[in-house]
Amino acid sequence: MECLVRAEPADFDRLVATHRDRVARLVYRLLGWSGDVDDVVQDVFLAALRGFGAFRGEAEVATWLTAITVNRCRTHRRKLWLRGKWFANVLKGGDAIPDSRQATDLDVCARVRQAVQALPARYREVVVLRYLEDMPVARIGEVLGLSPNGVGVRLHRARAQIKLVLGELPEERT
Amino acid sequence: MNDDRLADLLRETDRALPPPTGRPDLAARVRRRAAQHRIVRRTGGALAAAIALALGATFAFRAASHKAAPPETPMRPDAVQVAIADSQEELAQLRAELDQLRAEADSTLAIIEAVKTQQQQRARAAAIAQASSDPQEQIRQELDRAAFTIVYQADRMYRELGLKQSAIRDYRQTIELFPGTPAAQVARERLTQIETNQGDQL
């Protein structure tokens, strides 16, 4: 932590080596298991490099990087929307949610993936952080700037939307 | 479907998908991008400053040109008449002031001429008065000048031409004709020197 505050080049290399895989995985999940992961990861560490001086060391490095990653993923989605890729994808039907008949032809993982992709970003963030990153609710609130109650509300709504999409799935898989 | 089942499904989906692959040397690439961003930021800042300067100069030039040439509003006929009357009054006033100044200048010149003439007359009268104030002194000065001329000529005859007898005669003549002058004293000294020289030669 002290080394980060001093912002030495070797410290930055160590930071990248330590957190690179975790950040890349988080980006991959936040973008719905698709997208330009490498570019966003670069953006995350670029922001971390710029923020070296401003990082006060009050939070854990992992939490700090997670907050940066969430913000960069939001920025990336905004850029995609502005470039019209979102509409292009919708027109191609690549990431669109299938109706129930089409969904029966897909396996469960693909349906879950599409359900998560269909979530609004604010709900997807809490789902990824809670269930895939196993982060406590309090820390999710710290990362997203929300109260624990706010995180709980978002989780509840996200689960409801996913259940709505996955309603016809069998209860147990063998 | 309960929450635990949902969590299991999410984790299974995540595990089923291949992990993201990234290119190596991420730290170096991030540093390169940071350097590029710095360059772009600096260049952009300089460009923005230059544009702002150019815009400011353009606006300042336009404002100055607007101030220099204010729009002329046409005058009404009665206002024109009033303006003409005012200008004629001003013209007459200026002419009167000019005449007055000219008269003052003439009178001043006349006074200067009179003072100048008076001063010249006074200087002339003073010279005449000085010349006629002491005729004896003037005569004495003339006698001194004449005696000095004779002694000077006698000195030249004796020293340059070797005419000793003529020089002695002139010295004696000076002593006889101008006895009280400084030149007569000089002539006496010359005669004494000549007599001394003759005694030494004998």
Side-chain angles (χ1 to χ4, degrees), chain B:
Chain B
M1 185 170 54
N2 59 20
D3 290 347
D4 292 337
R5 169 74 179 137
L6 178 63
D8 288 341
L9 279 174
L10 285 167
R11 288 185 189 113
E12 279 176 24
T13 304
D14 186 59
R15 275 196 297 270
L17 290 164
T21 55
R23 288 180 293 170
D25 66 343
L26 178 63
R29 278 185 289 138
V30 169
R31 280 205 202 88
R32 270 200 300 275
R33 274 187 65 185
Q36 286 171 357
H37 282 206
R38 271 198 299 275
I39 292 167
V40 168
R41 210 176 305 133
R42 282 177 191 165
T43 312
L47 198 64
I51 289 169
L53 201 65
L55 284 174
T58 308
F59 281 126
F61 179 73
R62 282 188 181 175
S65 61
H66 278 299
K67 277 183 183 174
E72 291 183 1
T73 53
M75 292 178 72
R76 291 183 303 174
D78 53 345
V80 172
Q81 292 295 329
V82 169
I84 289 170
D86 288 346
S87 63
Q88 282 178 346
E89 280 181 14
E90 286 179 3
L91 195 63
Q93 196 174 351
L94 284 172
R95 275 182 186 156
E97 286 179 4
L98 191 64
D99 290 341
Q100 190 179 352
L101 285 172
R102 202 173 288 159
E104 285 178 5
D106 289 342
S107 66
T108 309
L109 276 174
I111 291 167
I112 289 169
E113 285 295 326
V115 170
K116 199 174 167 185
T117 309
Q118 200 174 2
Q119 282 180 346
Q120 285 175 351
Q121 287 173 351
R122 279 181 188 170
R124 213 172 294 142
I128 292 166
Q130 190 179 0
S132 60
S133 62
D134 194 2
Q136 289 182 350
E137 178 63 23
Q138 198 174 357
I139 290 165
R140 191 186 59 78
Q141 285 177 1
E142 292 295 329
L143 289 173
D144 283 347
R145 206 172 293 134
F148 176 78
T149 305
I150 293 168
V151 171
Y152 176 73
Q153 292 298 333
D155 284 348
R156 287 190 66 186
M157 279 191 288
Y158 178 64
R159 289 174 185 168
E160 295 175 11
L161 303 173
L163 302 172
K164 191 169 69 177
Q165 294 304 320
S166 299
I168 290 170
R169 190 183 62 238
D170 287 346
Y171 289 140
R172 285 177 181 161
Q173 198 173 5
T174 303
I175 292 165
E176 286 172 10
L177 293 175
F178 312 104
T181 60
Q185 183 62 30
V186 172
R188 280 190 202 94
E189 288 173 4
R190 295 278 190 275
L191 286 171
T192 309
Q193 283 177 1
I194 290 169
E195 285 171 1
T196 308
N197 288 340
Q198 283 177 347
D200 291 340
Q201 285 174 4
L202 290 173

Side-chain angles (χ1 to χ4, degrees), chain A residues 9 12-13 16 20 24 28-29 33 38 41-43 45-46 49-50 108-109 112-113 116 127 131-132 134 159 162-163 169-173, chain B residues 1-3 5-7 9-14 16-31 33-35 37-38 41:
Chain A
F12 180 71
D13 289 351
V16 172
R20 173 189 175 150
Y28 189 48
R29 288 165 175 168
W33 297 285
D38 201 46
V41 171
Q42 262 194 59
D43 285 344
F45 283 106
L46 187 64
L49 183 64
R50 285 179 189 159
V108 175
C109 285
V112 171
R113 180 188 166 197
V116 173
V127 165
Y131 295 116
L132 302 179
D134 291 324
R159 279 195 301 260
I162 294 171
K163 282 175 187 173
L169 282 177
E171 280 297 312
E172 294 293 335
R173 291 185 64 194
Chain B
M1 185 170 54
N2 59 20
D3 290 347
R5 169 74 179 137
L6 178 63
L9 279 174
L10 285 167
R11 288 185 189 113
E12 279 176 24
T13 304
D14 186 59
L17 290 164
T21 55
R23 288 180 293 170
D25 66 343
L26 178 63
R29 278 185 289 138
V30 169
R31 280 205 202 88
R33 274 187 65 185
H37 282 206
R38 271 198 299 275
R41 210 176 305 133

Side-chain angles (χ1 to χ4, degrees), chain A residues 44-91:
Chain A
V44 169
F45 283 106
L46 187 64
L49 183 64
R50 285 179 189 159
F52 251 24
F55 181 60
R56 290 171 296 185
E58 290 172 359
E60 282 185 19
V61 178
T63 308
W64 177 58
L65 279 174
T66 304
I68 293 174
T69 307
V70 170
N71 284 327
R72 289 292 123 185
C73 287
R74 287 175 184 168
T75 307
H76 182 73
R77 278 194 297 270
R78 211 175 298 130
K79 280 182 189 172
L80 285 182
W81 184 82
L82 288 171
R83 286 175 192 167
K85 282 191 177 180
W86 176 262
F87 295 105
N89 283 341
V90 168
L91 287 173

